[in-house]
Amino acid sequence: MAAPSDEEGAVGPRCHHCSTAMLDMPFLPFCAFLGTLGLLCVAMVGTWCQNWRGGFSLDGSSRTFNWHPVLMVTGLVVLYGAAALVYRIPNTWSGPKLPWKVLHGSLALGAFVLTVLGLAAVFHFHNSQGTPNMYSLHSWMGLGTVLLFSCQWAAGFGAFLLPWAPAWLRALYKPIHVFFGSTILMLSVASCMSGINEKLFFSLKNGTTEYKLLPAEAVFANTLGLLILIFGVLVVGALARPSWKRPDSDSLDSRQ
């Protein structure tokens, strides 16, 4: 049997390159779509709490609780996802890295502040109503995610923003930081989805249309949960995409 010619042997790699190019897409249009999806999630959770759950207040009633899902989705999912994608912006691939570090840390800190306020809202509601705290899987998962988030932010601040952090420590901690960044985001998504489901089970019963009959509120909230899941999966997918990763510049990083 004759050996394949160079042209024939190149067909496989050429087809693979073509298929990869077809699947590739610019980051900025993807980012615009993802930002629109994130804003839609925030708008939908606010609409759910306003139209079906009675609105918002700080009086310890169920309207105080309504701040909890809004702040958690806004901070722990959408704003945290935005912070995670800062280093995928092509403008960050050249020049000093420090301003982007500050932006990344600031967005994550803003997400953390909103998350703490969301926790304060639910604890205030439970304490005002005499409801026990921390008895459901959703609460365990949510609080665990927030604690992990706080450790992640503190460790990232110490390793990447403090000027006396040695280069070897940054190199050692960087893959750990990246791994737990994606892990925290997916835990946040899981916590939000379980919280939506738990709220529907508690709310759609006596005096309302039962959850199993799928009233309009259930359809709306379930759709919100699916959109949150899609948002989280797309962020993790963007973080894992090799062509969107910032090229390593250890020399610049170490000098900073």
Side-chain angles (χ1 to χ4, degrees):
M1 181 180 295
S5 64
D6 292 341
E7 183 177 354
E8 292 171 342
V11 171
R14 197 159 50 231
C15 291
H16 174 73
H17 176 74
C18 292
S19 62
T20 304
M22 290 174 63
L23 292 174
D24 201 9
M25 66 177 298
F27 173 78
L28 293 181
F30 172 85
C31 193
F33 170 76
L34 197 61
T36 302
L37 181 59
L39 291 175
L40 179 61
C41 290
V42 174
M44 286 186 67
V45 70
T47 301
W48 177 32
C49 293
Q50 181 66 46
N51 290 353
W52 279 287
R53 298 290 103 217
F56 304 90
S57 76
L58 299 175
D59 58 3
S61 66
S62 60
R63 294 183 298 166
T64 299
F65 171 85
N66 289 340
W67 287 107
H68 174 67
V70 172
L71 292 172
M72 288 303 194
V73 171
T74 304
L76 206 54
V77 176
V78 177
L79 196 56
Y80 184 87
L85 290 177
V86 164
Y87 293 123
R88 299 302 185 268
I89 301 174
N91 294 343
T92 68
W93 293 5
S94 61
K97 196 174 180 181
L98 183 59
W100 300 104
K101 288 183 179 182
V102 174
L103 177 61
H104 173 74
S106 300
L107 288 173
L109 181 61
F112 182 72
V113 170
L114 293 181
T115 299
V116 170
L117 293 175
L119 286 179
V122 69
F123 279 114
H124 179 42
F125 165 70
H126 283 173
N127 295 336
S128 299
Q129 302 297 317
T131 304
N133 293 303
M134 303 304 301
Y135 65 89
S136 67
L137 176 61
H138 163 68
S139 62
W140 293 4
M141 186 186 302
L143 186 60
T145 302
V146 175
L147 293 176
L148 188 60
F149 183 10
S150 63
C151 294
Q152 169 89 340
W153 192 92
F157 179 81
F160 300 120
L161 281 175
L162 293 183
W164 54 80
W168 65 264
L169 177 61
R170 295 176 182 175
L172 178 66
Y173 178 63
K174 181 179 177 180
I176 301 174
H177 186 77
V178 172
F179 169 78
F180 277 104
S182 298
T183 300
I184 292 169
L185 178 62
M186 295 316 297
L187 287 174
S188 302
V189 169
S191 299
C192 289
M193 294 179 67
S194 63
I196 290 171
N197 198 238
E198 184 177 282
K199 183 62 176 177
L200 290 175
F201 274 118
F202 286 159
S203 302
L204 299 181
K205 50 182 182 179
N206 298 332
T208 65
T209 304
E210 293 183 4
Y211 188 13
K212 65 182 179 182
L213 298 178
L214 206 63
E217 179 180 357
V219 174
F220 189 89
N222 287 347
T223 303
L224 168 63
L226 288 177
L227 292 179
I228 291 173
L229 176 62
I230 293 171
F231 180 88
V233 169
L234 289 178
V235 171
V236 173
L239 293 175
R241 194 177 185 91
S243 61
W244 288 349
K245 290 184 179 180
R246 187 185 196 273
D248 288 332
S249 54
D250 295 335
S251 57
L252 276 176
D253 192 36
S254 61
R255 283 199 294 269
Q256 289 176 1

